Amino acid sequence: MQSYLVTFIIRRFDPEKDSEPRWVDYDVEMYSTDRVLDALHRIKWDQDGSLAFRRSCAHGICGSDAMRINGRNRLACKTLIKDLDISKPIYVEAIKGLPLEKDLIVDMDPFFDAYREVQPFLQASSKPEKGKERLQTVADRAIFDDTTKCILCAACTSSCPVFWTDGQYFGPAAIVNAHRFIFDSRDDAGDARLEILNDKEGVWRCRTTFNCTEACPRGIEITKAIADVKQAVMRGTESQKKSLKLLHAS
Ligand code: SF4
Ligand code: F3S
Ligand code: FES
């Protein structure tokens, strides 16, 4: 298979040495079927062991390697070299809007704080019959199926211009994960979550710019999920659930 020499320009920052981030070039031999994550590995293993980035699964599951590649938020492990224009350098930098820690690593605490605040877990007031599961119809499940796919990579929240200017905004990922439980027929805490998201830093801060939807590596219709939550705040959860079920049935 033919290989290519590809230039990667990476925005590096070492808090112990640098006062400002700096761009550093690396030439790496790549195959078209390689991914940007492979390039980062080759740079770290063969050229500069001090390069810092997060990754775990390397297969689009764990959500740990979201970064800006040529100005777009993507997962490095899901971005193939053949899908990039390698006649020009490929720019790689950390996601925006979260405090930069080192090179491609940001502090994810503000992101997970917002996630925790929306109570992203099932809260059922009654117990199922002994030895039985909590049953749910296919139609009931369908209305929140999309938002179950989130891998908490932060590509959405860190591409949102509202979040860049106001770090207090819950951000699209937290709303997606609230949606996943608000519309779950087995859950009884939807109203409590809606109250949290009806806050001044909640759903109403969204300006429908769609950056989040474009950035999501799982293809979740995030802006639509936010609109569902806005509707539930205005009309009540049950009424919005009915509308969504009708929509899915049609
Ligand atoms: Fe990542 Fe999509 Fe979840 Fe946002 S909604 S955190 S982009 S998987
Ligand atoms: Fe931000 Fe997405 Fe709304 S990018 S403004 S949360 S549509
Ligand atoms: Fe797990 Fe990319 S390394 S999603």
Side-chain angles (χ1 to χ4, degrees), residues 156 159-163 169 171-172 205-213 222-223 226:
C156 54
S159 70
C160 172
V162 176
F163 185 75
Y169 171 42
R205 296 285 281 128
C206 169
R207 292 289 173 265
T208 328
T209 58
F210 281 89
N211 287 22
C212 52
T213 302
I222 302 175
T223 313
I226 296 171

Side-chain angles (χ1 to χ4, degrees), residues 53-104:
F53 54 92
R54 286 195 182 104
R55 69 100 174 84
S56 181
C57 71
H59 290 286
I61 304 298
C62 72
S64 61
D65 64 341
M67 53 191 74
R68 277 170 81 79
I69 300 170
N70 284 347
R72 269 190 57 195
N73 280 7
R74 302 161 183 248
L75 296 179
C77 66
K78 296 285 280 181
T79 306
L80 292 172
I81 295 302
K82 73 179 173 60
D83 295 331
L84 299 168
D85 177 4
I86 56 170
S87 66
K88 296 180 193 149
I90 294 166
Y91 287 82
V92 183
E93 61 189 305
I95 50 176
K96 288 170 72 172
L98 290 161
L100 184 61
E101 288 195 333
K102 188 175 183 202
D103 296 338
L104 303 174

Side-chain angles (χ1 to χ4, degrees), residues 76-175:
C77 66
K78 296 285 280 181
T79 306
L80 292 172
I81 295 302
K82 73 179 173 60
D83 295 331
L84 299 168
D85 177 4
I86 56 170
S87 66
K88 296 180 193 149
I90 294 166
Y91 287 82
V92 183
E93 61 189 305
I95 50 176
K96 288 170 72 172
L98 290 161
L100 184 61
E101 288 195 333
K102 188 175 183 202
D103 296 338
L104 303 174
I105 296 179
V106 295
D107 177 2
M108 295 288 283
D109 281 355
F111 174 80
F112 283 111
D113 286 347
Y115 169 67
R116 271 190 288 271
E117 256 189 84
V118 301
Q119 306 177 9
F121 42 84
L122 191 83
Q123 297 178 65
S125 47
S126 59
K127 285 193 176 158
E129 232 178 284
K130 197 161 182 267
K132 302 268 184 192
E133 296 168 69
R134 292 180 203 279
L135 295 180
Q136 183 167 60
T137 66
V138 172
D140 279 337
R141 161 75 192 200
I143 62 173
F144 68 95
D145 187 62
D146 198 32
T147 48
T148 63
K149 297 176 195 154
C150 177
I151 55 171
L152 294 172
C153 68
C156 54
T157 297
S158 62
S159 70
C160 172
V162 176
F163 185 75
W164 294 339
T165 53
D166 176 4
Q168 299 303 305
Y169 171 42
F170 278 89
I175 302 170

Side-chain angles (χ1 to χ4, degrees), residues 10-15 18 21-22 24 26 40 44 48-54 67 92-95 99-106:
I10 303 181
R11 190 168 185 257
R12 305 230 20 209
F13 175 66
D14 181 342
D18 302 323
R22 61 205 157 82
V24 184
Y26 301 92
L40 297 177
K44 185 168 180 73
D48 186 346
S50 70
L51 178 66
F53 54 92
R54 286 195 182 104
M67 53 191 74
V92 183
E93 61 189 305
I95 50 176
L100 184 61
E101 288 195 333
K102 188 175 183 202
D103 296 338
L104 303 174
I105 296 179
V106 295

Side-chain angles (χ1 to χ4, degrees), residues 182-247:
I182 288 167
F183 295 106
D184 188 329
S185 58
R186 301 161 300 179
D187 184 273
D188 296 315
D191 289 345
R193 293 190 195 90
L194 291 179
E195 206 172 305
I196 293 165
L197 289 171
N198 196 17
D199 181 86
K200 69 178 171 46
E201 301 298 351
V203 280
W204 306 111
R205 296 285 281 128
C206 169
R207 292 289 173 265
T208 328
T209 58
F210 281 89
N211 287 22
C212 52
T213 302
E214 282 162 25
C216 181
R218 303 287 291 162
I220 298 170
E221 290 188 83
I222 302 175
T223 313
K224 182 187 166 299
I226 296 171
D228 290 345
V229 174
K230 285 178 177 171
Q231 286 292 322
V233 171
M234 290 188 295
R235 310 170 55 193
T237 316
E238 289 313 313
S239 162
Q240 183 60 11
K241 271 185 191 166
K242 270 188 208 142
S243 303
L244 289 174
K245 268 164 75 174
L246 284 173
L247 206 69

